[in-house]
Amino acid sequence: MKKTLLICALLFMQSAIAKGVYQTPLAFLGQTFSNDIPKQSTIWVDKELKHVISNILQHNPSFIRVKYWQRGTTTAWILDEIGKEKPITVGVVITGNKIQQLKVLSFRESRGWEVKHDFFTRQFNNASLTDDLKLSETVDGISGATLSVRALKKIARIALYLQQKANNESTTK
């Protein structure tokens, strides 16, 4: 009986410790841009963009605009996606249409928190978007974190797609 209570207590503590803010968006942007954060830019979600993002997410997006920060060819995106029931906030840094860094900033689920670790997020480094809007790199899953893994893959794809849109907007200005 004592052993069972101890195991239950450890599982509860692990779940409680896993939730939280690992890095604030401001700290993420400061780290990305060496504490010289550029002015925020916005992409408005029009019909075409909504259609593509909906296909990636497999549901309608909950946002009508996306904010991003850009200096030169480097952009930073902070996006949310639902894991199982609650949003996971992720920062994505893209340089030259390839992911330079993907980082879990906040995790609110009780399971799947392993996706926050560098051993997992490093798999996204150098990933780009294929013509059919898939990631160019294979991302191995984590047993017990399937929905969190899927959420991060979706965020990576959306950030890369939005990067293409941001590039197109800057060349037409």
Side-chain angles (χ1 to χ4, degrees):
M1 179 69 173
K2 286 182 183 180
K3 194 174 189 178
T4 304
L5 286 174
L6 178 63
I7 290 171
C8 289
L10 287 173
L11 289 174
F12 175 76
M13 285 176 33
Q14 180 182 21
S15 172
I17 292 169
K19 294 180 186 180
V21 176
Y22 305 124
Q23 187 175 34
T24 65
L26 187 59
F28 171 75
L29 293 170
Q31 178 185 4
T32 301
F33 296 109
S34 302
N35 290 319
D36 185 18
I37 302 169
K39 187 178 130 191
Q40 174 183 295
S41 298
T42 303
I43 291 181
W44 289 90
V45 179
D46 59 15
K47 264 186 171 178
E48 176 193 348
L49 201 53
K50 183 177 181 179
H51 177 73
V52 173
I53 291 173
S54 294
N55 284 338
I56 292 171
L57 291 174
Q58 299 173 339
H59 62 81
N60 285 329
S62 61
F63 47 85
I64 59 170
R65 67 176 179 251
V66 182
K67 299 172 186 175
Y68 68 99
W69 297 260
Q70 182 170 10
R71 175 162 297 117
T73 60
T74 298
T75 57
W77 306 83
I78 298 174
L79 301 167
D80 289 323
E81 175 54 335
I82 301 293
K84 181 176 181 180
E85 298 170 340
K86 298 182 181 177
I88 302 168
T89 303
V90 179
V92 184
V93 179
I94 299 174
T95 302
N97 292 322
K98 290 188 176 188
I99 294 177
Q100 180 182 343
Q101 179 188 28
L102 183 139
K103 186 169 189 175
V104 176
L105 304 179
S106 296
F107 192 85
R108 299 167 186 91
E109 298 279 4
S110 59
R111 293 190 173 93
W113 55 269
E114 297 88 349
V115 297
K116 74 175 185 169
H117 292 293
D118 287 342
F119 76 81
F120 177 75
T121 58
R122 273 195 306 263
Q123 296 181 87
F124 292 91
N125 293 355
N126 295 313
S128 58
L129 208 54
T130 64
D131 291 338
D132 60 347
L133 303 180
K134 304 288 184 196
L135 292 175
S136 64
E137 305 296 321
T138 301
V139 176
D140 293 331
I142 298 173
S143 181
T146 303
L147 298 176
S148 297
V149 169
R150 285 182 190 159
L152 268 59
K153 286 180 176 180
K154 291 175 184 179
I155 286 174
R157 292 171 59 200
I158 290 169
L160 287 163
Y161 181 71
L162 291 170
Q163 174 72 32
Q164 291 177 354
K165 291 296 176 190
N167 288 345
N168 289 344
E169 285 184 13
S170 66
T171 57
T172 58
K173 288 182 179 177

